């Protein structure tokens, strides 16, 4: 058997794949192979080399050695050729620069040699693939590199560009046709793709009416319905294929020229395109069926269609591009009677449907995009479409078998679905974009505007803020314009006859003479040299003016207050020593019969009528009977304080009614805050109001904050306008509607506000009192508790005008007007008025107004216009609640709902916040009824539901 082994081993070197019986020689070779190609020791996983591969490598090595010797020879020859060429060149430079035939031959020979060498080298190098330690083979692809996607994309892009160019040249609406077919098929549910073939047939019939039904081939319809969008892509691919075949054949025969001509006369070109597309889609679908025989038949059909293309092209002479060829050939195939798959299919509403498709196409035409921008800026969807076309082309040609076809079709279905979704999105975007066609027309290119500065600097923020505020001011001015113009035209001041007028004539001459005599006698009895020189009879008080002798101290007289009071038998006397501007000391004795002061008495006065300021307010009559009125602009803020029942509310009413008699709604706006809820409520609905009368303390606080913001806005406006105050600003305004109204904020009871939110209220009042004068915002604060915790030093220091009604103690009087005297007032409108800039108070009997009078005036004013409220109380309350809430409140509630219970410590841990904040959040949650009360050391129960959480989210 040795000869047999020798003979066998002789062939073993050449037969790489031979695996014969084992012998020593073979084993030794295999061992050598293993030793030679053992991988270096490392932790890296290496692919195993099988025995057969080792033999391959050995064989390649042997071949490589031979190849290397060849390469060496070729290199040597090439080197020699180079040397000869170099010498030739040298000779040329020295002699005539002409290339003789020999040099050309040499060059050609050398190039041929070099090419041979290069080929051989490439071949050998390709065969040789030595192990490279740094190169880790892929577990899937091994050493073979994965095909780069870029190449595919490049190819696809070039294909797309070519298609786009062809479309541009042909002017056909092929893309729209595809879209239409795709959209009609997309309306079907893709989830039942492989369930009922009959249903899919119906889909095909309904959506593409000119397509012929084929009931004996349900799988074709299934594929058609499943690959709705890919059908058109396949059409493209097949058309491309047929184009190539057409070019190669060069022989284009006409199988059905008559039928083509008849159909061309029936439909226009675009309709034919549409029908041909859909028909070809079915043809394509049929081509992708699992039956190979039918595939062959379909291929035959395509070949026939290809042959029928030639006369149409030659006759029309308009189809210049490949796309045209493609479209036309599908239209021919649609009507082809030889296609036995389509013979029995009836035509359903062909004319009407095609007409609809044509109209739809015309309506959605975008010639500018198609002609100019289509080729320049290809859409992504078109790109994707082209991708699918190429992919489908490959799959159709490569996988003719049934199993492969099914797999490919499944992949195609997935791709088609994804592409359909993309198409839908693109279609929606296009529809929305069509609304702004004109705007887009002004933008020839869709270049993105890239901001050069992406950081928002502080300067930028300030600029934007100022810009926004200016816009707000302009909007406010515009809003005021609308309301003011109407109000100015319609507003009429209330008549003075709406107020009661009483004539009170009473002679107290005897009583005055008696009181005068009593005073003189009393002073004489106390050995004080002074006598009554003048008597001033006021509405409630008569003032006797004493003129002290020389050397008599004023204090001597003032110390006799109680003695005089006793002798006069007066309820209360007040000594004003000395009377400002006089050499006399006044002793104010209450009248025996006091006379009320009505508002009409003040309003009827020429001084009030002639007053220019819209903020003129009537106060009352002084001791001498002189009407006293004040200008709120000059106050500029007032504090009204007095005991209960002293007449504060009446005083405020007279202020408001006076303003209604002097100011138009566009001139003065009122912000009424009435925690007592009943004092100022009659004024609801008048056009002078900024908001309805605010009765809630929280809303009042927010309203004061709004006033502060308004003050700040106005000052910024003045700064922009270059004026210092509101009067100058209003003078500068050319139009009435641009003028700013004065704002009078009246708080009837400050004590309530100070009890609820002392810090916020005091801060707001202080800020308004400090700055708001120039911007036309004025405060009138009334309180019945003139204690230092209500009228704080901060408020007092910024409210210069004080009105003190009767108080119970001298301390309260000092709190209000910094001097005593208010404790000696008689009440019922008896007041001490300390005007801005004056040190001495003036005793005034405040004007009185009845509720009926108020009602009449308010009714009249209400008829003059509707109020234009800037905000409602509810909004303010909501805002206040929001301000009180913590930012983490909602998240904390959510967390509590998830956990089922909540505690301060768990909030601290979860949100990483401090104890104070966590405890405040817990309190807020408890206050809102979200969680239970404290249960000692145990966590609180959660009482809220998901609905509560949703409501809380809406509120926040
Ligand atoms: N100027 C006035 N002339 C005559 N009577 C007056 C005058 N002012 C108040 N009165 C009388 O005093 C009463 C109480 O007045 P008013 O309600 O203004 O007091 P008040 O200080 O507001 O009390 P409260 O703080 O409790 O509301 C009025 O009903 C009225 O009869």
């Amino acid at each position: 058997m040795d000869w047999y082994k020798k003979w066998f081993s002789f062939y073993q070197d050449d037969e790489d794949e031979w695996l014969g019986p084992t012998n020593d020689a073979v084993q030794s070779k295999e061992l050598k192979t293993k030793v030679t190609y053992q991988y270096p020791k490392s932790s890296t996983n290496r692919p195993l080399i099988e025995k057969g591969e080792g033999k391959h490598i050995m064989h390649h090595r042997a071949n490589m050695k031979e190849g290397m010797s060849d390469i060496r020879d070729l290199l040597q020859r090439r080197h020699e050729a180079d040397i000869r060429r170099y010498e030739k060149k040298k000779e040329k430079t020295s002699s005539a620069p002409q290339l003789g035939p020999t040099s050309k031959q040499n060059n050609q020979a050398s190039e041929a040699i070099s090419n041979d060498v290069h080929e051989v080298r490439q071949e050998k190098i390709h065969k040789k693939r030595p192990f490279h330690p740094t190169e880790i083979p892929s577990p899937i692809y091994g050493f073979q590199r994965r095909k780069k996607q870029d190449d595919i994309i490049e190819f696809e892009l070039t294909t797309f560009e070519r298609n786009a160019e062809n479309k541009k040249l042909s002017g056909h609406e092929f893309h729209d046709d595809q879209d239409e077919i795709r959209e009609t098929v997309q309306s079907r549910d893709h989830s039942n793709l492989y369930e009922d073939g009959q249903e899919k047939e119906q889909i095909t019939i309904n959506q593409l009416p000119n397509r012929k039904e084929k009931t004996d081939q349900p799988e074709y319809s299934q594929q058609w319905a499943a690959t709705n969008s890919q059908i058109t892509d396949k059409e493209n691919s097949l058309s491309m294929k047929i184009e190539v075949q057409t070019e190669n054949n060069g022989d284009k025969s006409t199988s059905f020229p008559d039928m083509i001509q008849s159909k061309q006369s029936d439909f226009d070109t675009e309709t034919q395109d549409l029908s041909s597309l859909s028909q070809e889609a079915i043809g394509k679908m049929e081509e992708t069926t699992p039956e190979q025989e039918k595939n062959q038949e379909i291929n035959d059909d395509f070949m026939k269609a290809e042959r029928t293309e030639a006369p149409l092209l030659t006759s029309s002479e308009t189809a210049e591009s490949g796309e045209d060829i493609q479209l036309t050939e599908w239209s021919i195939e649609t009507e082809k009677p030889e296609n036995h798959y389509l013979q029995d299919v009836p035509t359903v509403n062909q004319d009407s449907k095609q007409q609809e498709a044509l109209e739809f196409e015309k309506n959605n035409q975008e010639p500018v995009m198609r002609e100019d921008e289509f080729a320049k800026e290809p859409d992504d969807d078109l790109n994707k479409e082209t991708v699918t076309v190429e992919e489908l082309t490959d799959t159709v040609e490569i996988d003719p078998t049934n199993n492969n076809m099914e797999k490919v079709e499944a992949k195609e279905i997935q791709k088609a679905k994804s592409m359909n979704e993309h198409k839908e999105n693109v279609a929606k975007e296009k529809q929305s974009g069509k609304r702004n066609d004109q705007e887009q027309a002004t933008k020839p290119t869709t270049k993105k505007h890239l901001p050069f500065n992406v950081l928002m600097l502080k300067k930028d923020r300030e600029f934007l803020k100022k810009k926004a505020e200016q816009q707000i001011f302009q909007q406010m001015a515009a809003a005021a314009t609308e309301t003011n113009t109407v109000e100015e035209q319609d507003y009429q001041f209330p008549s003075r006859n709406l107020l009661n007028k009483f004539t009170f004539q009473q002679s107290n001459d005897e009583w005055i003479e008696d009181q005068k005599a009593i005073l003189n006698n009393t002073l004489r009895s106390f050995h004080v040299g002074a006598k009554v020189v003048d008597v001033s009879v006021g509405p409630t008080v008569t003032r006797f003016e004493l003129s002290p002798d020389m050397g008599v101290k004023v204090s001597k007289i003032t110390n006799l207050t109680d003695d005089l009071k006793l002798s006069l038998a007066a309820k209360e006397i007040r000594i004003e020593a000395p009377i400002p501007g006089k050499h006399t000391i006044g002793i104010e004795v209450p009248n025996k019969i006091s006379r009320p002061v009505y508002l009409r008495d003040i309003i009827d006065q020429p001084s009030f009528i002639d007053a220019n300021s819209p903020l003129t307010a009537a106060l009352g009559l002084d001791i001498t009977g002189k009407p006293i009125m004040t200008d709120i602009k000059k106050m500029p803020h007032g504090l009204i304080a007095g005991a209960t029942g002293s007449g504060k509310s009446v005083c405020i009413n007279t202020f408001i009614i006076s303003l209604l008699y002097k100011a138009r709604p566009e001139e003065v706006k009122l912000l009424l805050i009435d925690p007592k809820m009943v004092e100022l409520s009659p004024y609801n609905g008048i056009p002078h109001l900024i908001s309805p009368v605010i009765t809630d303390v929280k809303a009042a606080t927010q309203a004061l904050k709004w006033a502060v913001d308004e003050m700040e806005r106005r000052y910024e406006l003045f700064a922009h306008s270059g004026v210092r105050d509101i009067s100058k600003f209003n003078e500068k305004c050319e139009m009435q509607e641009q003028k700013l109204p004065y704002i009078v904020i009246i708080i009837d009871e400050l004590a309530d506000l100070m009890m609820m939110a002392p810090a916020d209220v005091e801060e707001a009042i202080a800020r308004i009192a400090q700055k708001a004068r120039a911007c036309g915002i004025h405060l009138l604060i009334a309180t019945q508790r003139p204690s230092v915790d209500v009228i704080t030093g901060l408020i007092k220091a910024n409210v210069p005008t004080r009105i003190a009604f009767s108080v119970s103690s001298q301390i309260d009087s000092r709190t209000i007007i910094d001097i005593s005297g208010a404790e000696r007032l008689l009440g019922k409108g008896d007041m001490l008025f300390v005007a801005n800039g004056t040190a001495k108070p003036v005793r005034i009997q405040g004007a009185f107004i009845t509720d009926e009078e108020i009602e009449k005036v308010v009714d009249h004013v209400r008829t003059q216009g509707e109020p234009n409220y800037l905000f409602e109380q509810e909004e303010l309350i909501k805002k206040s609640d929001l301000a009180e809430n913590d930012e983490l409140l909602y998240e904390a509630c959510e967390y509590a709902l998830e956990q089922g219970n909540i505690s301060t410590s768990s909030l601290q841990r979860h949100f990483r916040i401090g104890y104070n904040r966590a405890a405040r959040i817990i309190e807020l949650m408890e206050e809102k009824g979200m969680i239970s009360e404290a249960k000692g050391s145990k966590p609180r129960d959660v009482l809220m539901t998901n609905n509560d959480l949703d409501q809380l989210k809406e509120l926040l």
Side-chain angles (χ1 to χ4, degrees), residues 643-650 676 679 784 828-829 845-848:
T644 178
S646 58
K648 301 182 297 296
S649 300
V650 172
K676 290 194 283 189
E679 298 292 343
Q784 66 178 359
K828 293 193 175 180
Q845 176 58 43
F848 182 75

Side-chain angles (χ1 to χ4, degrees), residues 540 594-598 619-620 640-654 676 678-679 748-749 782-785 805-806 827-831 844-849:
T540 54
S594 63
R595 131 177 124 83
V597 176
Y598 290 96
L619 281 174
I640 303 167
T644 178
S646 58
K648 301 182 297 296
S649 300
V650 172
C651 179
I652 288 172
N653 284 324
T654 56
K676 290 194 283 189
V678 293
E679 298 292 343
D748 195 350
E749 185 52 70
T783 180
Q784 66 178 359
R785 203 177 69 177
F805 287 90
S806 66
K828 293 193 175 180
D830 189 14
M831 70 171 88
I844 297 172
Q845 176 58 43
F848 182 75
I849 186 168

